[in-house]
Amino acid sequence: MFGLADVNSFYASCEALFRPDLRGKPVVVLSNNDGCVIARSAGAKMLGIKMGAPWFQIKTQDYPERVHVFSSNYALYHSMSQRVMTALEEMTPKVEQYSIDEMFLDLTGIDGCENLEHFGRRLRAHVLATTGLTVGVGMGPSKTLAKSAQWASKEWKQFRGVLALTPGNPKRTETLLLNQPVEEIWGVGRRIGKRLNLMGIENALQLARAHPALIRKNFGVVLERTVRELNGESCIPLEELPPAKQQIVSSRSFGERITTKVAMQEALCQYATRAAEKLRKERQFCRHVGVFIRTSPHAKDEVFYGNSAGEKLSRPTQDTRDVIEVAMRSLDRIWLEGRRYMTAGIMLDDFTPHGVSQLNLFDDDQPKKNSAQLMKVLDGINQSGLGNLWFARQGVNNEWNMKRELLSPAWTTNWKDIPLAKVY
């Protein structure tokens, strides 16, 4: 048996966690640069606020109740995610983190000791007591059925956040699948859902009863696997160790359009630094570095421009300085003056687990001395919370940095933002 634990309205719940005055109130979280809604509390949903709604439209609306709006606080969300995952691992050691707020659980053998839904409620209580956040729990003989059960536990309040689909109760599974729209199935989505609708398949039960060979012929092996999973056949194993990344991209839209090459160099230097940190965290070396820059395709009276460039490295590296050097050379080849750039980014790929390569006899591009030791010190200081080191080319006062005018405190990661409790 598999379980799936998912935090309810994760981003919005994190914002309300340290603000008791916001419990039950409409809360929304905005995307980068305070663009549009990416998370809503139950109260915000009741007001009719849609996912993806632009902030400039919401703030002009007259709602019957005040809507509390926040910029994305990634430091807070990451910290709370780690706490939730730790709490789940304390109850079910064999797990697979699927996203920032979801984790698959291996429930093998638990049904022989205790009722699965009773265990699910204990799991919810443990996470709530440990983190203050509420999770929904779905359980089933396959990952896809566990995901469907978790979807149903949120849709229908009578389950109180926990639902188990067991082989011993096929009627419950059929009823759930009959009421689950096909586009809500894990791995289907709107695009494939529309194609299935044209074939007369509108709910999960109809897809489960479709012939696997027909589905494979028209959609491929991935959707065939979904059909088998809906019938209780486990085809997707639990991955305790996440697969190695094939690419790392560091990119952000700018808070203010970039018009000078110096500002673009500062931005790419920051992104290169972040990408190299992620590379070292993955314990990988890259053999290719790429850069891309783009203007806005929607800007009036402006011609869109987007371009990319990169270099194949003679030797694999995880040194930030190497990435920055390639990024600066690549930018020289694609930079155009007189444009207002909206976004840029760094791409690292062609990974290898070691930094050894066969050099040409006449190649004078030797590895930088003490590179590994320097990067270890750099990461150690920056991740300790005791200080921060950066490359001079990153600049100091960057007006193009991401806009987060409604940012909440970093309650769990910054000493200055730790909440104070007043006793009267």
Side-chain angles (χ1 to χ4, degrees), residues 80-350:
M80 294 310 304
S81 172
Q82 289 183 314
R83 297 184 184 203
V84 170
M85 301 310 164
T86 299
L88 291 170
E89 285 186 276
E90 290 171 352
M91 296 280 287
T92 53
K94 194 173 181 181
V95 298
E96 174 195 337
Q97 184 171 350
Y98 178 62
S99 69
I100 192 171
D101 64 338
E102 293 178 282
M103 180 174 274
F104 281 108
L105 317 168
D106 186 347
L107 305 180
T108 303
I110 290 179
D111 54 343
C113 307
E114 127 180 65
N115 177 272
L116 283 173
E117 292 192 354
H118 181 266
F119 174 77
R121 302 197 190 287
R122 285 204 303 116
L123 195 65
R124 274 168 57 94
H126 179 64
V127 174
L128 181 63
T130 305
T131 68
L133 297 173
T134 303
V135 297
V137 182
M139 292 166 273
S142 68
K143 276 186 171 182
T144 302
L145 283 176
K147 188 82 170 172
S148 292
Q150 196 279 326
W151 171 84
S153 73
K154 292 191 297 184
E155 290 292 313
W156 295 299
K157 302 301 180 185
Q158 64 265 34
F159 294 119
R160 293 182 293 142
V162 178
L163 175 61
L165 301 177
T166 60
N169 191 352
K171 185 64 177 177
R172 169 182 275 189
T173 303
E174 281 190 15
T175 302
L176 185 156
L177 296 181
L178 179 64
N179 288 278
Q180 184 180 26
V182 70
E183 62 269 14
E184 294 291 344
I185 301 171
W186 183 42
V188 176
R190 292 182 181 179
R191 184 177 61 83
I192 296 178
K194 288 180 179 179
R195 292 178 59 194
L196 289 169
N197 291 162
L198 294 174
M199 297 174 63
I201 299 175
E202 297 183 349
N203 59 56
L205 184 60
Q206 291 173 325
L207 180 60
R209 290 177 174 173
H211 198 289
L214 175 66
I215 297 299
R216 180 169 186 166
K217 179 181 178 181
N218 289 278
F219 297 92
V221 68
V222 174
L223 194 62
E224 179 200 5
R225 187 174 60 187
T226 298
V227 172
R228 296 184 184 279
E229 288 250 324
L230 288 172
N231 285 283
E233 180 183 345
S234 178
C235 304
I236 309 173
L238 200 74
E239 295 182 352
E240 293 185 78
L241 295 176
K245 291 182 179 180
Q246 301 300 311
Q247 185 183 64
I248 291 175
V249 178
S250 180
S251 174
R252 283 284 188 276
S253 295
F254 304 128
E256 298 287 345
R257 296 288 192 266
I258 282 184
T259 57
T260 67
K261 189 174 182 180
V262 171
M264 183 63 78
Q265 289 173 332
E266 292 176 350
L268 287 175
C269 187
Q270 280 201 18
Y271 300 156
T273 300
R274 189 178 300 119
E277 288 174 352
K278 292 180 181 179
L279 185 68
R280 291 191 290 272
K281 190 174 181 180
E282 291 285 318
R283 298 182 179 180
Q284 297 280 356
F285 293 75
C286 75
R287 289 176 288 206
H288 183 268
V289 177
V291 166
F292 65 86
I293 57 175
R294 292 179 191 140
T295 63
S296 173
H298 308 294
K300 292 183 178 180
D301 303 322
E302 292 184 22
V303 178
F304 171 75
Y305 173 71
N307 207 343
S308 62
E311 291 184 15
K312 180 84 171 180
L313 305 180
S314 59
R315 53 178 176 76
T317 186
Q318 57 176 199
D319 192 310
T320 302
R321 296 169 294 177
D322 293 331
V323 178
I324 291 174
E325 288 174 6
V326 174
M328 296 303 101
R329 289 197 298 267
S330 300
L331 177 62
D332 289 340
R333 298 200 297 272
I334 59 177
W335 174 261
L336 283 184
E337 291 287 352
R339 304 299 174 105
R340 300 172 67 250
Y341 292 93
M342 180 187 72
T343 186
I346 297 286
M347 300 173 291
L348 307 182
D349 51 29
D350 195 4

Side-chain angles (χ1 to χ4, degrees), residues 140 360 367:
N360 187 287

